[in-house]
Amino acid sequence: MTRKPPAPFYRQVYAIVWKIPPGKVTSYGRIAEMLNNPGAARQVGYAMSALKNRADDPGYVGIPWHRVVNHQGQIVIKGSGEGRLYQAELLREESVEFSKDLQVNLDGHLWEGLLPHEVQAVLEEAGINPKYE
DNA sequence: ATGTTGACGGTTG
DNA sequence: TCAACCGCCAACA
């Protein structure tokens, strides 16, 4: 049962998220900026949310979605706190430190991100036509 | 085509 | 500081 592939912007987001190294985090807004689409931070979050509908879709399992937090380093999954605790657990397994309960210590764990030409290469590698620029 | 929906982020009071 | 607003914009129904 092949499933309809995600929309273009979501695929761009996933291609970037794959590149976040273990033990590092970045924010929804910074991913949007890397994609040359500042202001689309909410859409980045929505792309993460959409992953739970693809738990059985090979190619989208294993995306390190837990390494994406808000610009303050906080875990902001919506719903009853289970999702937040789960994300915190996944990060702790990578020795990410929290200054408070669910507040990531960004000083030591913020991902440097990709340069524009590196983003291009990543999108190219993912076979995404550079439609969105 | 049109209205709704947010795992955001900045501004305000 | 902190909470409440509000602009943002791709997906989706």
Side-chain angles (χ1 to χ4, degrees):
Chain A
M1 346 180 293
T2 11
R3 188 133 11 152
K4 196 170 79 168
F9 183 73
Y10 286 14
R11 296 216 317 260
Q12 291 193 348
V13 171
Y14 300 146
I16 299 296
V17 173
W18 273 118
K19 299 300 177 183
I20 308 174
K24 297 285 187 175
V25 300
T26 191
S27 71
Y28 305 95
R30 291 172 72 94
I31 290 176
E33 286 179 19
M34 287 182 219
L35 292 173
N36 203 21
N37 198 344
R42 287 184 90 160
Q43 287 57 241
V44 173
Y46 199 40
M48 296 299 101
S49 181
L51 285 175
K52 65 179 176 303
N53 302 320
R54 295 184 175 274
D56 60 342
D57 196 338
Y60 299 94
V61 298
I63 294 179
W65 56 267
H66 57 283
R67 296 176 192 146
V68 187
V69 295
N70 78 0
H71 68 123
Q72 298 174 1
Q74 290 173 313
I75 291 174
V76 288
I77 294 184
K78 136 177 195 192
S80 62
E82 296 182 21
R84 285 188 288 275
L85 292 175
Y86 180 47
Q87 181 172 3
E89 182 183 338
L90 291 176
L91 287 173
R92 265 191 280 263
E93 289 174 2
E94 302 181 349
S95 0
V96 170
E97 299 163 356
F98 297 84
S99 58
K100 292 171 67 177
D101 196 14
L102 296 180
Q103 170 94 30
V104 173
N105 176 9
L106 286 179
D107 285 338
H109 299 288
L110 179 62
W111 180 41
E112 305 82 2
L114 297 176
L115 299 173
H117 76 276
E118 295 174 318
V119 172
Q120 286 294 353
V122 166
L123 297 183
E124 191 97 12
E125 179 185 356
I128 298 173
N129 297 342
K131 280 316 297 176
Y132 284 74
E133 74 272 345

